[in-house]
Amino acid sequence: MQWLLAVFMCLLTWGSPGVYGYFLRSSSRCMLIPRSVALCYDIGYSEMRIPNLLEHETMAEVIQQSSSWLPLLARECHPDARIFLCSLFAPICLDRFIYPCRSLCDAVRNSCAPIMACYGYPWPEILNCNKFPADHNLCISTITDETTSSKRTVPRASCRDCELEEASTTKEILENFCANDFTVKIRISRKNMTSTISAFDLDSMLEVLKHGLLLLRAEIYPRLQHWLDLDATCVHNIMRGTHTGVYVISGEVQNDKVVVNKAYAWHKKNRNLQLAARRWKHHRCRA
C-alpha cells in the first residue's frame, strides 16, 4: 500500500488548496493509528490527525464509529471504499487536511449504498457527496479505473446472505443439486486470520459434481475465485471462523456472476452428504 502514501504526497504539489484544503486547528495533533482502528490500520501510512474530518475528538470515538463500517467493507462493495472512509476517519498526518474528491464519494456511494439499503440503513448525511470538492480542487481522487481495470470488478449489490446449511436427508441434498446450475466440492483457506478484513484462497484441486449448461468446466475455478474475492461476507459465514475447510456448494450463474445458494460442510459425520455425492453420478433429476 506504499502507493497510497505516494498519492497523498503528490497531492501537496497541486495548486492552491482552496476552501477544502483546511489548515490545521491549533488543537490538531498526530497520533499513531492503533490496531483497534481496524478500518484503517496498515492502510499505507501510520499516523493520523485528531480531531479527524468527521470531528471525532478522541481516538476512542474514532474506534467506536469506524468499527461500524467494517461489515460493509467486508462486503467489498467498492475497491476504493476503504480509501474513502479512511481519508475521513483517519486523515494522513500532513500540514493540512485533504478531503476526498466528490467523484470518489460518488463512486463509493453508488456501489455501497444499495448494500446498506438491504439492511435498512440509508447513506448518511455526514457523507453527503455534495459536501466534497470537485476533482479539479486539492482532493483524493478515485484509485480504481472502473472502465479499464481488468484486475478488479466492482461488485453488484446483493441483499442475499448465504449460510452454512445443515444436511438433513440424502433426498433433499440431491434435490438441491438438481435445482442449481452447478455443484462443486472445494477447499477454502483464509489468508489473514489476524485481520478484520477477510481474504480467501481456493485450492486448485476441486471436484465438479455438476457444471450444467451455463457453466463450462474450464470456467468453474476462475469464477469461484472471483466469487471468493467479491463476496467475503458470504464466505466468512460459510467458514464460521475456521482457517480452512472443505465444502460442497451449489448455485447459479446470474449475468456472468456466480451466486452460491447452498453450502454444506464436508466431514465424516455428514454421512447424508457423502452418500448424496456418491449417488449423484447415477441420479436422474425430475423434469
Side-chain angles (χ1 to χ4, degrees):
M1 297 292 287
Q2 293 302 315
W3 54 268
L4 183 57
L5 183 57
V7 170
F8 278 107
M9 296 308 294
C10 286
L11 285 169
L12 293 181
T13 65
W14 294 9
S16 172
V19 67
Y20 292 97
Y22 289 120
F23 288 94
L24 304 175
R25 291 161 44 181
S26 59
S27 61
S28 177
R29 60 196 185 280
C30 292
M31 297 186 68
L32 288 173
I33 302 175
R35 287 182 178 271
S36 49
V37 182
L39 181 72
C40 305
Y41 182 77
D42 198 28
I43 194 172
Y45 55 91
S46 59
E47 290 189 323
M48 59 175 282
R49 282 282 177 186
I50 288 285
N52 61 17
L53 293 178
L54 298 176
E55 300 183 1
H56 299 142
E57 299 283 344
T58 66
M59 188 62 72
E61 191 176 5
V62 173
I63 293 169
Q64 179 186 27
Q65 296 298 321
S66 64
S67 63
S68 64
W69 289 89
L70 291 173
L72 180 68
L73 204 65
R75 294 304 294 259
E76 303 274 343
C77 56
H78 192 280
D80 295 339
R82 191 181 184 208
I83 295 169
F84 169 67
L85 291 171
C86 289
S87 69
L88 300 170
F89 278 102
I92 190 171
C93 194
L94 300 175
D95 63 349
R96 66 189 67 179
F97 284 127
I98 312 296
Y99 275 77
C101 295
R102 191 177 305 155
S103 62
L104 173 58
C105 179
D106 285 336
V108 173
R109 180 200 60 199
N110 291 344
S111 287
C112 298
I115 297 292
M116 296 174 64
C118 292
Y119 302 98
Y121 295 103
W123 187 255
E125 177 60 27
I126 197 171
L127 300 184
N128 186 332
C129 296
N130 292 329
K131 295 180 178 180
F132 301 127
D135 286 43
H136 62 268
N137 288 290
L138 177 66
C139 59
I140 302 166
S141 62
T142 55
I143 305 299
T144 303
D145 186 341
E146 297 176 20
T147 59
T148 61
S149 175
S150 60
K151 294 183 178 180
R152 183 66 180 275
T153 301
V154 177
R156 299 180 181 90
S158 174
C159 295
R160 300 179 62 179
D161 272 334
C162 60
E163 295 285 349
L164 198 62
E165 300 281 339
E166 296 295 336
S168 51
T169 66
T170 301
K171 180 182 178 181
E172 288 182 359
I173 297 171
L174 289 171
E175 289 176 350
N176 167 54
F177 291 176
C178 289
N180 285 278
D181 296 334
F182 68 88
T183 299
V184 188
K185 180 182 174 184
I186 60 175
R187 178 184 293 275
I188 305 173
S189 300
R190 182 171 175 173
K191 295 179 185 177
N192 48 348
M193 290 294 290
T194 58
S195 174
T196 306
I197 310 304
S198 302
F200 304 94
D201 270 333
L202 179 65
D203 194 288
S204 59
M205 299 297 293
L206 52 82
E207 181 181 348
V208 180
L209 301 179
K210 177 186 180 183
H211 60 83
L213 298 176
L214 298 178
L215 198 63
L216 298 176
R217 185 176 289 268
E219 296 177 337
I220 291 178
Y221 180 85
R223 288 201 180 189
L224 287 177
Q225 184 61 60
H226 189 60
W227 163 68
L228 288 180
D229 293 339
L230 292 187
D231 203 348
T233 299
C234 177
V235 184
H236 178 81
N237 291 346
I238 291 173
M239 296 190 70
R240 295 183 176 178
T242 58
H243 175 69
T244 186
V246 179
Y247 307 91
V248 174
I249 62 173
S250 296
E252 55 191 321
V253 179
Q254 297 178 356
N255 299 321
D256 293 326
K257 179 184 176 183
V258 166
V259 177
V260 173
N261 295 325
K262 298 286 185 179
Y264 305 99
W266 182 271
H267 50 73
K268 293 181 179 180
K269 294 181 180 180
N270 201 336
R271 295 181 179 179
N272 288 336
L273 179 61
Q274 294 179 15
L275 183 58
R278 289 197 299 268
R279 288 183 177 178
W280 174 251
K281 186 176 181 180
H282 304 287
H283 182 73
R284 292 186 178 183
C285 298
R286 296 179 181 177

